[in-house]
Amino acid sequence: DGKTREDAIAQLAEAMEKGKFIANADSLVAAALERESVLSTAMEGGLAFPHVRGVEGGGLTLAMGVSKKGIDWDGEKVNIVFLSAIPVAVSAFYLRLMAGLTQAFSKEANRKALLEAKDSAALWKALQKATRTTVK
């Protein structure tokens, strides 16, 4: 029900804190908004990916919010927001994971294998095959 990016980020951070995934929603909100002021994370298709790296303690945390009406996000209409808190301890893993997935799925055959999977077992097998040399 947020009307601004600030509202959306605050609501998602509060949900993370309420679920005990983070310790301080206010500091996460401040850091996410500072990051947004440098470069907006709004993308085509009504998506935004605000994130904060260097969070102390805990694990990699992701919260998603949906706005059917849409939120004005620096002139972009955003309907789906993913807020990520990336702890210091997993920053290197997060970067390796993203690099490995990007490398694996830059190959059309790997993307095609995922799209053609008939069930979750086939999807898992295709994912493992595609990433066995790129994600470690």
Side-chain angles (χ1 to χ4, degrees), residues 17-57:
E17 184 179 60
K18 185 177 179 180
K20 303 198 184 304
F21 293 103
I22 62 167
N24 188 326
D26 290 339
S27 66
L28 184 65
V29 170
L33 291 175
E34 183 177 333
R35 164 64 180 82
E36 285 291 321
S37 72
V38 173
L39 181 64
S40 176
T41 60
M43 300 178 69
E44 290 181 16
L47 302 169
F49 295 89
H51 59 280
V52 176
R53 292 186 190 185
V55 175
E56 293 296 328

PDB file of all heavy atoms in Angstrom, residues 17-57:
ATOM      1  N   GLU A  17      12.503  -7.048   9.645  1.00  0.00           N
ATOM      2  CA  GLU A  17      12.791  -6.920  11.075  1.00  0.00           C
ATOM      3  C   GLU A  17      11.781  -7.713  11.901  1.00  0.00           C
ATOM      4  O   GLU A  17      12.155  -8.429  12.847  1.00  0.00           O
ATOM      5  CB  GLU A  17      12.778  -5.451  11.494  1.00  0.00           C
ATOM      6  CG  GLU A  17      13.159  -5.241  12.956  1.00  0.00           C
ATOM      7  CD  GLU A  17      13.150  -3.777  13.340  1.00  0.00           C
ATOM      8  OE1 GLU A  17      12.080  -3.133  13.226  1.00  0.00           O
ATOM      9  OE2 GLU A  17      14.224  -3.288  13.741  1.00  0.00           O
ATOM     10  N   LYS A  18      10.518  -7.626  11.543  1.00  0.00           N
ATOM     11  CA  LYS A  18       9.470  -8.357  12.267  1.00  0.00           C
ATOM     12  C   LYS A  18       9.715  -9.862  12.197  1.00  0.00           C
ATOM     13  O   LYS A  18       9.485 -10.584  13.164  1.00  0.00           O
ATOM     14  CB  LYS A  18       8.089  -8.016  11.695  1.00  0.00           C
ATOM     15  CG  LYS A  18       6.947  -8.627  12.452  1.00  0.00           C
ATOM     16  CD  LYS A  18       5.612  -8.185  11.891  1.00  0.00           C
ATOM     17  CE  LYS A  18       4.476  -8.827  12.666  1.00  0.00           C
ATOM     18  NZ  LYS A  18       3.173  -8.416  12.152  1.00  0.00           N
ATOM     19  N   GLY A  19      10.201 -10.334  11.053  1.00  0.00           N
ATOM     20  CA  GLY A  19      10.516 -11.758  10.897  1.00  0.00           C
ATOM     21  C   GLY A  19      11.855 -12.144  11.498  1.00  0.00           C
ATOM     22  O   GLY A  19      12.277 -13.293  11.397  1.00  0.00           O
ATOM     23  N   LYS A  20      12.528 -11.165  12.111  1.00  0.00           N
ATOM     24  CA  LYS A  20      13.824 -11.372  12.760  1.00  0.00           C
ATOM     25  C   LYS A  20      14.936 -11.756  11.787  1.00  0.00           C
ATOM     26  O   LYS A  20      15.882 -12.433  12.137  1.00  0.00           O
ATOM     27  CB  LYS A  20      13.718 -12.378  13.906  1.00  0.00           C
ATOM     28  CG  LYS A  20      12.693 -11.964  14.957  1.00  0.00           C
ATOM     29  CD  LYS A  20      12.865 -12.678  16.244  1.00  0.00           C
ATOM     30  CE  LYS A  20      11.798 -12.341  17.250  1.00  0.00           C
ATOM     31  NZ  LYS A  20      11.581 -10.991  17.599  1.00  0.00           N
ATOM     32  N   PHE A  21      14.814 -11.281  10.523  1.00  0.00           N
ATOM     33  CA  PHE A  21      15.855 -11.504   9.528  1.00  0.00           C
ATOM     34  C   PHE A  21      16.922 -10.407   9.579  1.00  0.00           C
ATOM     35  O   PHE A  21      18.048 -10.620   9.153  1.00  0.00           O
ATOM     36  CB  PHE A  21      15.260 -11.588   8.125  1.00  0.00           C
ATOM     37  CG  PHE A  21      14.394 -12.801   7.942  1.00  0.00           C
ATOM     38  CD1 PHE A  21      13.013 -12.692   7.954  1.00  0.00           C
ATOM     39  CD2 PHE A  21      14.965 -14.056   7.770  1.00  0.00           C
ATOM     40  CE1 PHE A  21      12.215 -13.808   7.795  1.00  0.00           C
ATOM     41  CE2 PHE A  21      14.178 -15.172   7.612  1.00  0.00           C
ATOM     42  CZ  PHE A  21      12.793 -15.061   7.625  1.00  0.00           C
ATOM     43  N   ILE A  22      16.514  -9.221  10.067  1.00  0.00           N
ATOM     44  CA  ILE A  22      17.453  -8.116  10.274  1.00  0.00           C
ATOM     45  C   ILE A  22      17.186  -7.534  11.653  1.00  0.00           C
ATOM     46  O   ILE A  22      16.102  -7.733  12.220  1.00  0.00           O
ATOM     47  CB  ILE A  22      17.327  -7.010   9.193  1.00  0.00           C
ATOM     48  CG1 ILE A  22      15.935  -6.374   9.226  1.00  0.00           C
ATOM     49  CG2 ILE A  22      17.668  -7.552   7.814  1.00  0.00           C
ATOM     50  CD1 ILE A  22      15.799  -5.096   8.438  1.00  0.00           C
ATOM     51  N   ALA A  23      18.165  -6.794  12.169  1.00  0.00           N
ATOM     52  CA  ALA A  23      18.035  -6.242  13.520  1.00  0.00           C
ATOM     53  C   ALA A  23      17.486  -4.818  13.532  1.00  0.00           C
ATOM     54  O   ALA A  23      16.855  -4.416  14.503  1.00  0.00           O
ATOM     55  CB  ALA A  23      19.386  -6.281  14.228  1.00  0.00           C
ATOM     56  N   ASN A  24      17.709  -4.039  12.466  1.00  0.00           N
ATOM     57  CA  ASN A  24      17.351  -2.630  12.506  1.00  0.00           C
ATOM     58  C   ASN A  24      16.811  -2.172  11.153  1.00  0.00           C
ATOM     59  O   ASN A  24      17.571  -1.869  10.246  1.00  0.00           O
ATOM     60  CB  ASN A  24      18.577  -1.803  12.905  1.00  0.00           C
ATOM     61  CG  ASN A  24      18.243  -0.358  13.161  1.00  0.00           C
ATOM     62  OD1 ASN A  24      17.370   0.230  12.525  1.00  0.00           O
ATOM     63  ND2 ASN A  24      18.961   0.237  14.095  1.00  0.00           N
ATOM     64  N   ALA A  25      15.492  -2.103  11.068  1.00  0.00           N
ATOM     65  CA  ALA A  25      14.852  -1.697   9.811  1.00  0.00           C
ATOM     66  C   ALA A  25      15.219  -0.270   9.413  1.00  0.00           C
ATOM     67  O   ALA A  25      15.467   0.005   8.243  1.00  0.00           O
ATOM     68  CB  ALA A  25      13.335  -1.835   9.920  1.00  0.00           C
ATOM     69  N   ASP A  26      15.296   0.618  10.394  1.00  0.00           N
ATOM     70  CA  ASP A  26      15.591   2.025  10.079  1.00  0.00           C
ATOM     71  C   ASP A  26      16.944   2.187   9.405  1.00  0.00           C
ATOM     72  O   ASP A  26      17.076   2.951   8.444  1.00  0.00           O
ATOM     73  CB  ASP A  26      15.536   2.885  11.344  1.00  0.00           C
ATOM     74  CG  ASP A  26      14.120   3.038  11.885  1.00  0.00           C
ATOM     75  OD1 ASP A  26      13.155   2.836  11.118  1.00  0.00           O
ATOM     76  OD2 ASP A  26      13.980   3.354  13.077  1.00  0.00           O
ATOM     77  N   SER A  27      17.962   1.467   9.886  1.00  0.00           N
ATOM     78  CA  SER A  27      19.281   1.601   9.265  1.00  0.00           C
ATOM     79  C   SER A  27      19.304   0.983   7.873  1.00  0.00           C
ATOM     80  O   SER A  27      19.968   1.498   6.974  1.00  0.00           O
ATOM     81  CB  SER A  27      20.385   1.003  10.150  1.00  0.00           C
ATOM     82  OG  SER A  27      20.240  -0.385  10.272  1.00  0.00           O
ATOM     83  N   LEU A  28      18.547  -0.101   7.670  1.00  0.00           N
ATOM     84  CA  LEU A  28      18.460  -0.706   6.342  1.00  0.00           C
ATOM     85  C   LEU A  28      17.773   0.253   5.369  1.00  0.00           C
ATOM     86  O   LEU A  28      18.232   0.436   4.238  1.00  0.00           O
ATOM     87  CB  LEU A  28      17.719  -2.043   6.392  1.00  0.00           C
ATOM     88  CG  LEU A  28      17.648  -2.800   5.068  1.00  0.00           C
ATOM     89  CD1 LEU A  28      19.040  -3.227   4.604  1.00  0.00           C
ATOM     90  CD2 LEU A  28      16.738  -4.019   5.196  1.00  0.00           C
ATOM     91  N   VAL A  29      16.707   0.890   5.820  1.00  0.00           N
ATOM     92  CA  VAL A  29      15.989   1.852   4.977  1.00  0.00           C
ATOM     93  C   VAL A  29      16.912   3.000   4.597  1.00  0.00           C
ATOM     94  O   VAL A  29      17.002   3.371   3.415  1.00  0.00           O
ATOM     95  CB  VAL A  29      14.718   2.381   5.690  1.00  0.00           C
ATOM     96  CG1 VAL A  29      14.111   3.554   4.923  1.00  0.00           C
ATOM     97  CG2 VAL A  29      13.702   1.263   5.872  1.00  0.00           C
ATOM     98  N   ALA A  30      17.615   3.553   5.567  1.00  0.00           N
ATOM     99  CA  ALA A  30      18.514   4.677   5.289  1.00  0.00           C
ATOM    100  C   ALA A  30      19.589   4.288   4.281  1.00  0.00           C
ATOM    101  O   ALA A  30      19.867   5.032   3.337  1.00  0.00           O
ATOM    102  CB  ALA A  30      19.156   5.171   6.588  1.00  0.00           C
ATOM    103  N   ALA A  31      20.180   3.102   4.454  1.00  0.00           N
ATOM    104  CA  ALA A  31      21.228   2.655   3.536  1.00  0.00           C
ATOM    105  C   ALA A  31      20.667   2.381   2.143  1.00  0.00           C
ATOM    106  O   ALA A  31      21.294   2.706   1.134  1.00  0.00           O
ATOM    107  CB  ALA A  31      21.917   1.410   4.091  1.00  0.00           C
ATOM    108  N   ALA A  32      19.480   1.791   2.066  1.00  0.00           N
ATOM    109  CA  ALA A  32      18.868   1.498   0.763  1.00  0.00           C
ATOM    110  C   ALA A  32      18.520   2.792   0.025  1.00  0.00           C
ATOM    111  O   ALA A  32      18.747   2.902  -1.183  1.00  0.00           O
ATOM    112  CB  ALA A  32      17.626   0.630   0.937  1.00  0.00           C
ATOM    113  N   LEU A  33      18.001   3.773   0.745  1.00  0.00           N
ATOM    114  CA  LEU A  33      17.663   5.049   0.110  1.00  0.00           C
ATOM    115  C   LEU A  33      18.916   5.803  -0.315  1.00  0.00           C
ATOM    116  O   LEU A  33      18.916   6.458  -1.366  1.00  0.00           O
ATOM    117  CB  LEU A  33      16.798   5.897   1.041  1.00  0.00           C
ATOM    118  CG  LEU A  33      15.388   5.357   1.267  1.00  0.00           C
ATOM    119  CD1 LEU A  33      14.650   6.195   2.308  1.00  0.00           C
ATOM    120  CD2 LEU A  33      14.597   5.293  -0.037  1.00  0.00           C
ATOM    121  N   GLU A  34      19.984   5.685   0.476  1.00  0.00           N
ATOM    122  CA  GLU A  34      21.250   6.300   0.070  1.00  0.00           C
ATOM    123  C   GLU A  34      21.746   5.664  -1.221  1.00  0.00           C
ATOM    124  O   GLU A  34      22.180   6.349  -2.148  1.00  0.00           O
ATOM    125  CB  GLU A  34      22.295   6.135   1.173  1.00  0.00           C
ATOM    126  CG  GLU A  34      23.606   6.807   0.856  1.00  0.00           C
ATOM    127  CD  GLU A  34      24.605   6.690   1.992  1.00  0.00           C
ATOM    128  OE1 GLU A  34      24.205   6.575   3.151  1.00  0.00           O
ATOM    129  OE2 GLU A  34      25.816   6.706   1.678  1.00  0.00           O
ATOM    130  N   ARG A  35      21.652   4.341  -1.313  1.00  0.00           N
ATOM    131  CA  ARG A  35      22.053   3.619  -2.524  1.00  0.00           C
ATOM    132  C   ARG A  35      21.183   4.038  -3.704  1.00  0.00           C
ATOM    133  O   ARG A  35      21.666   4.250  -4.813  1.00  0.00           O
ATOM    134  CB  ARG A  35      21.966   2.101  -2.263  1.00  0.00           C
ATOM    135  CG  ARG A  35      21.978   1.196  -3.480  1.00  0.00           C
ATOM    136  CD  ARG A  35      23.283   1.295  -4.255  1.00  0.00           C
ATOM    137  NE  ARG A  35      23.291   0.437  -5.413  1.00  0.00           N
ATOM    138  CZ  ARG A  35      22.738   0.727  -6.588  1.00  0.00           C
ATOM    139  NH1 ARG A  35      22.076   1.821  -6.767  1.00  0.00           N
ATOM    140  NH2 ARG A  35      22.857  -0.109  -7.611  1.00  0.00           N
ATOM    141  N   GLU A  36      19.900   4.184  -3.489  1.00  0.00           N
ATOM    142  CA  GLU A  36      18.974   4.611  -4.547  1.00  0.00           C
ATOM    143  C   GLU A  36      19.295   6.021  -5.034  1.00  0.00           C
ATOM    144  O   GLU A  36      19.090   6.330  -6.203  1.00  0.00           O
ATOM    145  CB  GLU A  36      17.528   4.552  -4.067  1.00  0.00           C
ATOM    146  CG  GLU A  36      16.950   3.166  -3.971  1.00  0.00           C
ATOM    147  CD  GLU A  36      16.744   2.493  -5.308  1.00  0.00           C
ATOM    148  OE1 GLU A  36      16.337   3.148  -6.284  1.00  0.00           O
ATOM    149  OE2 GLU A  36      16.997   1.282  -5.377  1.00  0.00           O
ATOM    150  N   SER A  37      19.792   6.881  -4.146  1.00  0.00           N
ATOM    151  CA  SER A  37      20.112   8.254  -4.544  1.00  0.00           C
ATOM    152  C   SER A  37      21.316   8.296  -5.493  1.00  0.00           C
ATOM    153  O   SER A  37      21.455   9.224  -6.272  1.00  0.00           O
ATOM    154  CB  SER A  37      20.367   9.138  -3.329  1.00  0.00           C
ATOM    155  OG  SER A  37      21.603   8.827  -2.717  1.00  0.00           O
ATOM    156  N   VAL A  38      22.156   7.262  -5.431  1.00  0.00           N
ATOM    157  CA  VAL A  38      23.311   7.176  -6.328  1.00  0.00           C
ATOM    158  C   VAL A  38      22.865   6.696  -7.702  1.00  0.00           C
ATOM    159  O   VAL A  38      23.230   7.269  -8.726  1.00  0.00           O
ATOM    160  CB  VAL A  38      24.390   6.225  -5.746  1.00  0.00           C
ATOM    161  CG1 VAL A  38      25.509   5.991  -6.744  1.00  0.00           C
ATOM    162  CG2 VAL A  38      24.924   6.780  -4.434  1.00  0.00           C
ATOM    163  N   LEU A  39      22.067   5.640  -7.730  1.00  0.00           N
ATOM    164  CA  LEU A  39      21.577   5.060  -8.983  1.00  0.00           C
ATOM    165  C   LEU A  39      20.305   4.286  -8.699  1.00  0.00           C
ATOM    166  O   LEU A  39      20.311   3.357  -7.885  1.00  0.00           O
ATOM    167  CB  LEU A  39      22.631   4.132  -9.598  1.00  0.00           C
ATOM    168  CG  LEU A  39      22.274   3.478 -10.926  1.00  0.00           C
ATOM    169  CD1 LEU A  39      22.094   4.538 -12.016  1.00  0.00           C
ATOM    170  CD2 LEU A  39      23.353   2.494 -11.334  1.00  0.00           C
ATOM    171  N   SER A  40      19.242   4.655  -9.355  1.00  0.00           N
ATOM    172  CA  SER A  40      17.966   3.980  -9.157  1.00  0.00           C
ATOM    173  C   SER A  40      18.055   2.520  -9.594  1.00  0.00           C
ATOM    174  O   SER A  40      18.702   2.188 -10.582  1.00  0.00           O
ATOM    175  CB  SER A  40      16.874   4.682  -9.971  1.00  0.00           C
ATOM    176  OG  SER A  40      15.658   3.975  -9.862  1.00  0.00           O
ATOM    177  N   THR A  41      17.378   1.662  -8.844  1.00  0.00           N
ATOM    178  CA  THR A  41      17.353   0.242  -9.192  1.00  0.00           C
ATOM    179  C   THR A  41      16.079  -0.140  -9.940  1.00  0.00           C
ATOM    180  O   THR A  41      15.839  -1.323 -10.183  1.00  0.00           O
ATOM    181  CB  THR A  41      17.492  -0.636  -7.928  1.00  0.00           C
ATOM    182  OG1 THR A  41      16.398  -0.361  -7.046  1.00  0.00           O
ATOM    183  CG2 THR A  41      18.815  -0.390  -7.235  1.00  0.00           C
ATOM    184  N   ALA A  42      15.266   0.855 -10.310  1.00  0.00           N
ATOM    185  CA  ALA A  42      14.057   0.588 -11.091  1.00  0.00           C
ATOM    186  C   ALA A  42      14.463   0.115 -12.483  1.00  0.00           C
ATOM    187  O   ALA A  42      15.421   0.617 -13.071  1.00  0.00           O
ATOM    188  CB  ALA A  42      13.194   1.831 -11.191  1.00  0.00           C
ATOM    189  N   MET A  43      13.720  -0.873 -12.985  1.00  0.00           N
ATOM    190  CA  MET A  43      14.008  -1.439 -14.295  1.00  0.00           C
ATOM    191  C   MET A  43      12.730  -1.485 -15.120  1.00  0.00           C
ATOM    192  O   MET A  43      11.633  -1.308 -14.593  1.00  0.00           O
ATOM    193  CB  MET A  43      14.551  -2.867 -14.136  1.00  0.00           C
ATOM    194  CG  MET A  43      15.833  -2.939 -13.324  1.00  0.00           C
ATOM    195  SD  MET A  43      16.395  -4.632 -13.123  1.00  0.00           S
ATOM    196  CE  MET A  43      16.874  -5.011 -14.806  1.00  0.00           C
ATOM    197  N   GLU A  44      12.902  -1.779 -16.392  1.00  0.00           N
ATOM    198  CA  GLU A  44      11.741  -1.968 -17.263  1.00  0.00           C
ATOM    199  C   GLU A  44      10.885  -3.099 -16.728  1.00  0.00           C
ATOM    200  O   GLU A  44      11.366  -3.988 -16.042  1.00  0.00           O
ATOM    201  CB  GLU A  44      12.202  -2.307 -18.675  1.00  0.00           C
ATOM    202  CG  GLU A  44      12.857  -1.167 -19.399  1.00  0.00           C
ATOM    203  CD  GLU A  44      13.271  -1.550 -20.810  1.00  0.00           C
ATOM    204  OE1 GLU A  44      12.798  -2.564 -21.343  1.00  0.00           O
ATOM    205  OE2 GLU A  44      14.085  -0.813 -21.378  1.00  0.00           O
ATOM    206  N   GLY A  45       9.630  -3.060 -17.063  1.00  0.00           N
ATOM    207  CA  GLY A  45       8.725  -4.117 -16.647  1.00  0.00           C
ATOM    208  C   GLY A  45       8.148  -3.911 -15.261  1.00  0.00           C
ATOM    209  O   GLY A  45       7.520  -4.799 -14.705  1.00  0.00           O
ATOM    210  N   GLY A  46       8.385  -2.742 -14.666  1.00  0.00           N
ATOM    211  CA  GLY A  46       7.801  -2.453 -13.361  1.00  0.00           C
ATOM    212  C   GLY A  46       8.502  -3.099 -12.193  1.00  0.00           C
ATOM    213  O   GLY A  46       7.880  -3.358 -11.163  1.00  0.00           O
ATOM    214  N   LEU A  47       9.803  -3.351 -12.324  1.00  0.00           N
ATOM    215  CA  LEU A  47      10.583  -3.991 -11.262  1.00  0.00           C
ATOM    216  C   LEU A  47      11.570  -3.019 -10.638  1.00  0.00           C
ATOM    217  O   LEU A  47      12.085  -2.132 -11.317  1.00  0.00           O
ATOM    218  CB  LEU A  47      11.382  -5.168 -11.829  1.00  0.00           C
ATOM    219  CG  LEU A  47      10.606  -6.282 -12.508  1.00  0.00           C
ATOM    220  CD1 LEU A  47      11.564  -7.214 -13.228  1.00  0.00           C
ATOM    221  CD2 LEU A  47       9.778  -7.039 -11.499  1.00  0.00           C
ATOM    222  N   ALA A  48      11.857  -3.204  -9.349  1.00  0.00           N
ATOM    223  CA  ALA A  48      12.927  -2.468  -8.681  1.00  0.00           C
ATOM    224  C   ALA A  48      13.637  -3.424  -7.734  1.00  0.00           C
ATOM    225  O   ALA A  48      13.006  -4.298  -7.119  1.00  0.00           O
ATOM    226  CB  ALA A  48      12.390  -1.273  -7.916  1.00  0.00           C
ATOM    227  N   PHE A  49      14.951  -3.257  -7.631  1.00  0.00           N
ATOM    228  CA  PHE A  49      15.798  -4.138  -6.825  1.00  0.00           C
ATOM    229  C   PHE A  49      16.667  -3.352  -5.840  1.00  0.00           C
ATOM    230  O   PHE A  49      17.891  -3.417  -5.900  1.00  0.00           O
ATOM    231  CB  PHE A  49      16.698  -4.983  -7.738  1.00  0.00           C
ATOM    232  CG  PHE A  49      15.954  -5.941  -8.601  1.00  0.00           C
ATOM    233  CD1 PHE A  49      15.498  -5.560  -9.857  1.00  0.00           C
ATOM    234  CD2 PHE A  49      15.683  -7.226  -8.158  1.00  0.00           C
ATOM    235  CE1 PHE A  49      14.801  -6.447 -10.663  1.00  0.00           C
ATOM    236  CE2 PHE A  49      14.981  -8.118  -8.958  1.00  0.00           C
ATOM    237  CZ  PHE A  49      14.543  -7.731 -10.215  1.00  0.00           C
ATOM    238  N   PRO A  50      16.058  -2.597  -4.915  1.00  0.00           N
ATOM    239  CA  PRO A  50      16.886  -1.903  -3.933  1.00  0.00           C
ATOM    240  C   PRO A  50      17.665  -2.918  -3.111  1.00  0.00           C
ATOM    241  O   PRO A  50      17.158  -4.018  -2.828  1.00  0.00           O
ATOM    242  CB  PRO A  50      15.873  -1.133  -3.087  1.00  0.00           C
ATOM    243  CG  PRO A  50      14.594  -1.874  -3.251  1.00  0.00           C
ATOM    244  CD  PRO A  50      14.630  -2.445  -4.645  1.00  0.00           C
ATOM    245  N   HIS A  51      18.883  -2.559  -2.747  1.00  0.00           N
ATOM    246  CA  HIS A  51      19.711  -3.501  -1.983  1.00  0.00           C
ATOM    247  C   HIS A  51      20.744  -2.755  -1.165  1.00  0.00           C
ATOM    248  O   HIS A  51      21.080  -1.615  -1.454  1.00  0.00           O
ATOM    249  CB  HIS A  51      20.398  -4.502  -2.914  1.00  0.00           C
ATOM    250  CG  HIS A  51      21.275  -3.866  -3.932  1.00  0.00           C
ATOM    251  ND1 HIS A  51      20.776  -3.308  -5.099  1.00  0.00           N
ATOM    252  CD2 HIS A  51      22.609  -3.655  -3.961  1.00  0.00           C
ATOM    253  CE1 HIS A  51      21.770  -2.812  -5.810  1.00  0.00           C
ATOM    254  NE2 HIS A  51      22.908  -2.997  -5.137  1.00  0.00           N
ATOM    255  N   VAL A  52      21.209  -3.449  -0.137  1.00  0.00           N
ATOM    256  CA  VAL A  52      22.243  -2.907   0.733  1.00  0.00           C
ATOM    257  C   VAL A  52      23.280  -3.995   0.932  1.00  0.00           C
ATOM    258  O   VAL A  52      22.956  -5.102   1.358  1.00  0.00           O
ATOM    259  CB  VAL A  52      21.672  -2.472   2.102  1.00  0.00           C
ATOM    260  CG1 VAL A  52      22.784  -2.002   3.026  1.00  0.00           C
ATOM    261  CG2 VAL A  52      20.611  -1.396   1.922  1.00  0.00           C
ATOM    262  N   ARG A  53      24.509  -3.671   0.606  1.00  0.00           N
ATOM    263  CA  ARG A  53      25.615  -4.595   0.847  1.00  0.00           C
ATOM    264  C   ARG A  53      26.325  -4.180   2.124  1.00  0.00           C
ATOM    265  O   ARG A  53      26.287  -3.028   2.523  1.00  0.00           O
ATOM    266  CB  ARG A  53      26.605  -4.564  -0.307  1.00  0.00           C
ATOM    267  CG  ARG A  53      26.038  -5.136  -1.569  1.00  0.00           C
ATOM    268  CD  ARG A  53      27.099  -5.215  -2.627  1.00  0.00           C
ATOM    269  NE  ARG A  53      26.469  -5.542  -3.889  1.00  0.00           N
ATOM    270  CZ  ARG A  53      27.126  -5.779  -4.987  1.00  0.00           C
ATOM    271  NH1 ARG A  53      28.439  -5.714  -4.996  1.00  0.00           N
ATOM    272  NH2 ARG A  53      26.497  -6.071  -6.092  1.00  0.00           N
ATOM    273  N   GLY A  54      26.981  -5.143   2.742  1.00  0.00           N
ATOM    274  CA  GLY A  54      27.774  -4.847   3.927  1.00  0.00           C
ATOM    275  C   GLY A  54      26.978  -4.856   5.212  1.00  0.00           C
ATOM    276  O   GLY A  54      27.419  -4.321   6.219  1.00  0.00           O
ATOM    277  N   VAL A  55      25.801  -5.478   5.207  1.00  0.00           N
ATOM    278  CA  VAL A  55      24.982  -5.584   6.406  1.00  0.00           C
ATOM    279  C   VAL A  55      25.704  -6.509   7.388  1.00  0.00           C
ATOM    280  O   VAL A  55      26.231  -7.541   7.001  1.00  0.00           O
ATOM    281  CB  VAL A  55      23.583  -6.151   6.056  1.00  0.00           C
ATOM    282  CG1 VAL A  55      22.756  -6.378   7.285  1.00  0.00           C
ATOM    283  CG2 VAL A  55      22.874  -5.230   5.076  1.00  0.00           C
ATOM    284  N   GLU A  56      25.715  -6.137   8.651  1.00  0.00           N
ATOM    285  CA  GLU A  56      26.390  -6.955   9.667  1.00  0.00           C
ATOM    286  C   GLU A  56      25.481  -8.080  10.137  1.00  0.00           C
ATOM    287  O   GLU A  56      24.308  -7.871  10.404  1.00  0.00           O
ATOM    288  CB  GLU A  56      26.794  -6.094  10.868  1.00  0.00           C
ATOM    289  CG  GLU A  56      27.856  -5.070  10.549  1.00  0.00           C
ATOM    290  CD  GLU A  56      29.189  -5.686  10.138  1.00  0.00           C
ATOM    291  OE1 GLU A  56      29.534  -6.768  10.632  1.00  0.00           O
ATOM    292  OE2 GLU A  56      29.876  -5.077   9.301  1.00  0.00           O
ATOM    293  N   GLY A  57      26.058  -9.270  10.243  1.00  0.00           N
ATOM    294  CA  GLY A  57      25.339 -10.420  10.800  1.00  0.00           C
ATOM    295  C   GLY A  57      24.248 -10.942   9.902  1.00  0.00           C
ATOM    296  O   GLY A  57      23.930 -10.387   8.866  1.00  0.00           O
TER     297      GLY A  57
END
